[in-house]
Amino acid sequence: MHIHILGICGTFMGGVAALAREAGHTVTGCDAGVYPPMSDQLRALGIELIEGFGTEQLSLQPDMYVVGNVVSRQHLEDGTPKFPLMEAILDQGLPYTSGPQWLSEHVLQGRHVLAVAGTHGKTTTTSMLAWILECTGLTPGFLVGGVPLDFGVSARLGQQATGQERPLFVIEADEYDTAFFDKRSKFVHYRPRTAVLNNLEFDHADIFADLAAIERQFHHLIRTVPASGRVVFNGIEQALVRVLHQGCWSEQRSFGAAVSDFTAEGVHHAFDVMQQGKKVGRVEWALSGEHNQLNALAAIAAAEHVGVSPAVAAEALGRFHNVKRRMELCGSVAGIAVYDDFAHHPTAIRTTLDGLRQRVGQQQRILAVFEPRSNTMKLGTMKAQLPWSLKEADLAFCHTAGLDWNAAQALTDLGEAAFTSDNVDTVVAQVMEHVRPGDQIVCMSNGGFAGIHGKLLAALQYKFATA
């Protein structure tokens, strides 16, 4: 089959492309501003990438157009369509489908799917679970919304079906909508036998009216889990409790809360795994923060459902190396570390900074450099939470380009510790004016942040190495 993917450079659609190519399909694709790292990965796989969404691509004559949710029916001010290729596909009645639907029909069918959902921690927990299964020789397939350092790729097919055996596939289960023609959450297409509900709070204000609307989608996911399946959920989260109270027909395992099936005892970088009050394993690793401890419990509970003992899973996590862009160290100069992190929701920002504070203590300063880039943050829906999210930062630097609300006003509670600018180079200059040896600089964005990490390291080298 020849598939042509519209919006191929997104993390999810790029993963679909890689899986299709590995399965032997012919894959081509297009995107606006074809960009790395996904463009580099796809070209390395021999996948042809085309810039833009022009109608000349109809000449490729694929068997199926696979449409990413970046594509819409939007028209520009002059009346021309923003995605002319999609308009031509509709006009000519050509075959098209969504990425999740194609994945469901051509990759996930006949597999034991382990799906990891939640507002935060999906990528990390999915990577943990895939790594546990890999360490036990189960060779899972996976699709992760990032690049796990232990695998070096975001997606692979894994072990193929043999006889009656169901090969395993671990997938990051996103609640964002599927496509412009399918407004259901992506994850309803995955039909998991093991579903992880990591946490749940309001997000994606551009498509969801309130938290209840997201809870409804999560319950749609639960409805697809068979009676022989397992739902693993965070017992601390009241929103998830409400979701389960709407009905659950599968085995349940909780984690996190004091009375949960799986709990942890000890500090975040070295803790005992407790199952119904009995020690069943121990995790010792380089990761920090309560959030990663909870992620670990979720992964251990999910792995148990496919036969991996908690003790074996805990030992495997001791060799886990996290995911790119999750507190990834970019470099250091004069004892000043520069980290890259994907955090963009206020809760994720707070969690990232809390984890770093626990690691470095009060002796080192934390400089938070961030941009409110997600659709929800651009709308200003959660601007009031920003001062709370930055509580552990000694100084905060906000890149304000593209915002329709006043970031400086939103950060007023931080007083002289907050700085704003709509220019990345100015943000770098602001940081250079205040940085001191030993500081920890955390750059947080769900985008490329205009290469600010490299710019900071170059500026630090100039300021301190040439001083």
Side-chain angles (χ1 to χ4, degrees), residues 12-345:
F12 172 78
M13 297 302 283
V16 171
L19 292 170
R21 185 73 176 83
E22 187 181 350
H25 298 290
T26 299
V27 183
T28 54
C30 63
D31 215 322
V34 171
Y35 50 92
M38 192 54 69
S39 61
D40 295 336
Q41 291 185 45
L42 294 174
R43 285 195 175 104
L45 293 172
I47 295 174
E48 179 186 354
L49 304 180
I50 299 171
E51 173 64 35
F53 298 87
T55 57
E56 73 281 355
Q57 295 173 52
L58 294 175
S59 65
L60 293 169
Q61 297 184 316
D63 300 293
M64 181 66 69
Y65 292 93
V66 182
V67 183
N69 67 3
V70 70
V71 177
S72 71
R73 300 297 303 278
Q74 181 181 352
H75 281 60
L76 304 176
E77 291 183 1
D78 62 3
T80 60
K82 184 175 181 180
F83 299 95
L85 175 58
M86 191 68 235
E87 296 299 321
I89 292 168
L90 294 171
D91 284 339
Q92 298 184 30
L94 300 174
Y96 67 92
T97 188
S98 69
Q101 185 70 34
W102 192 92
L103 188 70
S104 173
E105 295 173 353
H106 296 275
V107 176
L108 303 183
Q109 194 72 32
R111 292 175 179 257
H112 182 127
V113 177
L114 301 96
V116 179
T119 309
H120 313 292
K122 289 188 294 293
T123 301
T124 302
T125 307
T126 305
S127 302
M128 287 181 184
L129 181 52
W131 178 244
I132 290 170
L133 302 182
E134 179 77 0
C135 288
T136 52
L138 294 172
T139 320
F142 58 82
L143 197 165
V144 185
V147 180
L149 296 173
D150 292 308
F151 292 104
V153 294
S154 64
R156 78 172 189 196
L157 285 178
Q159 185 177 357
Q160 302 301 296
T162 55
Q164 298 301 310
E165 181 184 353
R166 284 180 176 269
L168 305 179
F169 197 96
V170 186
I171 188 166
E172 180 172 332
D174 186 6
E175 72 271 24
Y176 206 79
D177 61 11
T178 297
F180 75 85
F181 50 87
D182 183 353
K183 306 314 285 184
R184 295 172 295 170
S185 292
K186 291 187 183 75
F187 56 39
V188 299
H189 292 277
Y190 301 156
R191 310 293 173 85
R193 304 187 74 82
T194 308
V196 175
L197 311 182
N198 225 14
N199 41 60
L200 180 55
E201 64 178 296
F202 185 60
D203 196 5
H204 308 309
D206 54 321
I207 62 170
F208 292 119
D210 50 32
L211 180 57
I214 309 177
E215 291 176 5
R216 191 173 306 113
Q217 292 294 322
F218 269 67
H219 192 247
H220 290 168
L221 174 63
I222 286 179
R223 293 177 188 178
T224 67
V225 183
S228 59
R230 174 180 289 190
V231 175
V232 176
F233 69 96
N234 186 337
I236 300 172
E237 297 277 335
Q238 287 303 306
L240 292 178
V241 172
R242 290 194 297 271
V243 169
L244 290 165
H245 280 170
Q246 294 180 46
C248 182
W249 303 269
S250 312
E251 176 184 270
Q252 299 178 37
R253 291 291 184 271
S254 60
F255 67 93
V259 294
S260 294
D261 296 300
F262 288 87
T263 56
E265 291 186 359
V267 293
H268 303 143
H269 61 273
F271 57 91
D272 293 330
V273 177
M274 314 296 291
Q275 186 173 14
Q276 296 177 342
K278 178 183 177 182
K279 179 181 174 180
V280 291
R282 182 170 177 79
V283 176
E284 296 183 3
W285 58 1
L287 276 66
S288 61
E290 181 184 7
H291 61 297
N292 278 320
Q293 190 179 71
L294 292 171
N295 292 340
L297 294 176
I300 289 169
E304 188 197 42
H305 190 227
V306 292
V308 180
S309 73
V312 170
E315 190 278 331
L317 288 177
R319 293 177 277 135
F320 177 70
H321 291 102
N322 215 335
V323 185
K324 287 185 70 66
R325 301 205 64 199
R326 270 62 180 180
M327 282 305 290
E328 182 181 5
L329 180 64
C330 299
S332 60
V333 177
I336 302 165
V338 177
Y339 296 94
D340 182 18
D341 195 85
F342 196 72
H344 51 279
H345 185 285

Side-chain angles (χ1 to χ4, degrees), residues 344-346 349 370 372 377 382-391 398 405 407 410-411 414:
H344 51 279
H345 185 285
I349 293 172
F370 67 101
M377 294 302 289
M382 298 181 178
K383 62 184 179 183
Q385 297 181 37
L386 280 175
W388 165 82
S389 72
L390 296 161
K391 185 176 183 296
C398 180
W405 47 276
L411 297 171
L414 299 181

